[in-house]
Amino acid sequence: MGLFILRRVGIMILTALCLTFIVFILTNLYPNLEKLAKTEGNFRMSDEAVASWLEKGGYMQPMPVKYGQWLGVLPGWTKVTDEGTTGRCITGVKSAEEAEAAPRFCGILQGDWGYSSVFKDEVNSIIATRLANTGFLMMWVLILMVPSALLIGILAGMREGSVTDRTLSTASILTTATPEYVSGVIFMAVFTSSAVGLKWFKGSATSAMKDANFENFFLPVLTIALYGIGYIARMTRASMTEVMTAQYIRTARLKGVSFPKIVMRHALRNALIAPFTVIMLQFPWLLNGVVIVETLFNYKGFGWALVQAAGNNDIELLLGISVVSVVVVLLTQLISDIGYVYLNPRIRIS
């Protein structure tokens, strides 16, 4: 088991490096850097002025060198001018003595995530605040989604082909087939309109960041949870149906064991192995899939920050968000693999 985890961690680190390098290349393409120079400087800057601005900021270095400096495994660049010494790890313009005392490495590994050109704040501070907002939203989505989906899937899979099974399966397919931007718009049209007499939602979830209640928070939670409920319920139903037709279940029924006892003692544990993996995979989807919902309901979380960074060419914030997204996806997959091994003895033995 230890070797299995070590191999997974090694693959996870290599994957994270590859993915972040690809994102780094895409965000540091020259058109993006040119737009950044004109945004920070002057939109009427000439091509020569843009090149000079990028040269002073260390953006014209080779891509692998810039990536290594951003990651924190290569020393930061320095530049000596008439006013003094500047550099990646030097704040402002310093004298030669002060520049010598500055740290040589200042990247992601050292906790220096850069500075947001849009929010005018440290990237790690922005991500921590927005991630906390999204984490609160995700918590309530999971509280609503997971128990509801498991209950629906178990009830549908207990008696395959029954009226209950067909009804719950149809409802699950409908919710899975309806994307968040459709259900969110429908909910907003219905529950913010006085024409249908259901005007209880305020139209925005911004106030939920400080004071969450039913009126300003339930609709975003329901919009995200509906899709996940249908998907997890269908997987649970398929797994439950397969378990209920297994030989040991038939043997238990022939011995006269009551149906509720068969379901609770014998079927549930094996039926929940597959849904466990699906539930774990909902975490990266929730983190990155809330972009539409947070934008639609104006809830300023992680997804909203991603939209703002992409729309305003905030390169440092985009890179920071990509790091968090990659780490969350890989960690949840690692936890899912380890949990699946523990839940399934056949895999652990092999």
Side-chain angles (χ1 to χ4, degrees):
M1 191 63 188
L3 291 176
F4 169 79
I5 295 175
L6 286 176
R7 285 197 301 269
R8 289 292 185 181
V9 170
I11 295 172
M12 183 178 71
I13 293 174
L14 290 176
T15 305
L17 290 173
C18 293
L19 291 175
T20 53
F21 185 58
I22 291 172
V23 174
F24 188 87
I25 292 175
L26 294 176
T27 54
N28 279 270
L29 294 175
Y30 190 80
N32 294 333
L33 298 178
E34 182 181 14
K35 183 178 178 181
L36 176 65
K38 292 183 176 181
T39 302
E40 293 295 301
N42 189 337
F43 280 101
R44 297 182 179 180
M45 292 172 66
S46 63
D47 293 341
E48 293 77 11
V50 170
S52 176
W53 190 92
L54 293 176
E55 181 67 31
K56 291 179 181 179
Y59 293 100
M60 301 302 289
Q61 300 178 96
M63 196 68 72
V65 175
K66 288 195 297 182
Y67 177 74
Q69 293 175 351
W70 171 77
L71 198 61
V73 296
L74 292 179
W77 59 270
T78 56
K79 188 176 183 63
V80 180
T81 63
D82 296 336
E83 292 81 12
T85 304
T86 61
R88 175 178 176 86
C89 304
I90 301 172
T91 304
V93 180
K94 303 293 184 181
S95 63
E97 293 76 12
E98 292 174 323
E100 188 67 27
R104 296 182 61 216
F105 297 87
C106 52
I108 294 293
L109 298 178
Q110 287 77 33
D112 186 352
W113 290 47
Y115 192 80
S116 171
S117 60
V118 174
F119 295 97
K120 306 301 180 184
D121 196 4
E122 297 291 335
V123 169
N124 51 5
S125 175
I126 297 170
I127 291 180
T129 302
R130 303 306 172 189
L131 197 59
N133 292 338
T134 297
F136 183 69
L137 176 63
M138 288 171 61
M139 179 187 71
W140 284 105
V141 169
L142 291 171
I143 289 174
L144 174 64
M145 180 176 67
V146 174
S148 303
L150 292 178
L151 180 61
I152 292 172
I154 291 169
L155 290 176
M158 282 168 54
R159 299 185 184 276
E160 183 182 9
S162 64
V163 176
T164 302
D165 177 26
R166 290 196 295 268
T167 303
L168 294 177
S169 297
T170 302
S172 300
I173 293 172
L174 288 175
T175 58
T176 307
T178 307
E180 299 90 341
Y181 58 85
V182 174
S183 57
V185 170
I186 293 174
F187 287 153
M188 289 189 69
V190 172
F191 294 106
T192 61
S193 173
S194 57
V196 293
L198 297 174
K199 190 177 180 180
W200 57 265
F201 181 64
K202 303 299 183 182
S204 172
T206 304
S207 59
M209 295 185 295
K210 294 182 178 179
D211 181 26
N213 53 54
F214 182 82
E215 290 186 348
N216 61 16
F217 202 55
F218 179 70
L219 216 54
V221 171
L222 180 62
T223 302
I224 301 175
L226 272 181
Y227 181 86
I229 286 175
Y231 185 58
I232 297 174
R234 290 174 61 197
M235 292 296 296
T236 307
R237 185 258 180 198
S239 181
M240 191 70 181
T241 301
E242 182 181 356
V243 170
M244 292 301 292
T245 58
Q247 188 64 43
Y248 67 92
I249 297 294
R250 294 177 183 175
T251 303
R253 298 187 72 170
L254 290 174
K255 287 183 176 181
V257 181
S258 64
F259 188 76
K261 192 173 291 186
I262 289 175
V263 172
M264 297 300 295
R265 290 189 178 181
H266 302 284
L268 270 183
R269 179 179 177 181
N270 291 325
L272 292 179
I273 293 176
F276 170 78
T277 305
V278 176
I279 292 170
M280 290 305 302
L281 293 177
Q282 297 303 304
F283 284 91
W285 167 75
L286 286 173
L287 185 63
N288 300 292
V290 294
V291 173
I292 295 174
V293 174
E294 289 186 351
T295 304
L296 184 63
F297 291 97
N298 198 28
Y299 183 79
K300 298 179 180 179
F302 191 77
W304 178 87
L306 174 60
V307 173
Q308 296 300 313
N312 294 283
N313 197 41
D314 193 338
I315 294 177
E316 296 292 340
L317 183 56
L318 269 174
L319 290 172
I321 290 175
S322 70
V323 170
V324 174
S325 301
V326 168
V327 169
V328 169
V329 171
L330 295 177
L331 279 179
T332 51
Q333 287 183 348
L334 177 63
I335 296 172
S336 175
D337 291 340
I338 295 173
Y340 197 83
V341 169
Y342 274 111
L343 289 173
N344 196 334
R346 289 172 295 183
I347 296 179
R348 187 165 66 248
I349 293 172
S350 63

